Amino acid sequence: MLFRSNNLYLLDFSSSNIGRIDAKTKELKVYVTPTPTSRPRRGRVDEQGRLWFAEYQGNAIGMFDPKTEKISEWKVPTPWSAPYDVMAGKNGEAWTGSMLTDRVARLDIASGQYVEYPLPRSTNIRRVYVDDAKKPGTLWIGNNHGASIVKVEPLE
């Protein structure tokens, strides 16, 4: 669950629904992701008030824009990545990590292009954190299988 402007967002992991409860009207609206049974999870609100979420079974990351009430999604290049979390930064990038493929992916939001980074060992990523003090940003993740913290810092 996420709060933004006192609105509540709900991600239906068993299906493909995004719910929003308006704090002022108490109205519930449900939005459906473009990919059926995408299993949205782990949402976060960015600097522009958009909700970013992983689509675990949809092999994508999604974004709900409350201004347009539309959902956009970007498929991760590697099949069966099972994105678990996503975080969009201020630099026009969104990062996600895979529970299954030991890769992280950086999306250029404007172009829709991904860059994937294979990790040196098995990780099982659950949360991603972006330091976007520079572009491209730096990704920090915890390694559930190696009791360590991993830093991905693109050199480009």
Side-chain angles (χ1 to χ4, degrees):
M1 295 186 295
L2 294 172
F3 297 91
R4 176 75 176 178
S5 302
N6 291 326
N7 294 329
L8 175 67
Y9 289 102
L10 307 154
L11 304 174
D12 181 3
F13 184 66
S14 67
S15 186
S16 50
N17 302 310
I18 306 295
R20 182 181 69 180
I21 299 175
D22 185 283
K24 293 180 181 139
T25 66
K26 310 290 189 266
E27 177 187 13
L28 168 66
K29 279 191 170 181
V30 177
Y31 306 88
V32 180
T33 62
T35 299
T37 320
S38 64
R39 300 182 75 186
R41 70 177 330 153
R42 303 281 174 145
R44 297 188 202 193
V45 177
D46 71 8
E47 298 274 325
Q48 298 176 44
R50 302 174 300 185
L51 174 69
W52 289 86
F53 53 93
E55 293 186 76
Y56 183 76
Q57 190 166 312
N59 205 55
I61 59 175
M63 184 267 295
F64 170 73
D65 187 338
K67 292 176 188 159
T68 62
E69 296 188 325
K70 295 196 185 223
I71 296 175
S72 301
E73 66 181 18
W74 295 265
K75 297 289 185 185
V76 179
T78 299
W80 308 104
S81 288
Y84 200 89
D85 189 19
V86 62
M87 185 173 182
K90 296 181 277 188
N91 296 326
E93 303 166 333
W95 289 81
T96 190
S98 172
M99 277 186 63
L100 304 175
T101 64
D102 302 317
R103 295 172 184 255
V104 295
R106 177 173 49 102
L107 170 69
D108 179 302
I109 298 166
S111 71
Q113 297 298 307
Y114 276 99
V115 176
E116 290 188 296
Y117 303 91
L119 300 175
R121 61 182 183 179
S122 179
T123 52
N124 191 322
I125 299 165
R126 298 301 175 110
R127 282 296 212 185
V128 297
Y129 300 93
V130 176
D131 173 0
D132 57 9
K134 62 182 183 171
K135 187 172 183 172
T138 301
L139 178 72
W140 293 88
I141 55 173
N143 180 343
N144 281 358
H145 289 172
S148 60
I149 296 172
V150 179
K151 177 182 178 184
V152 179
E153 186 173 21
L155 301 176
E156 60 216 42

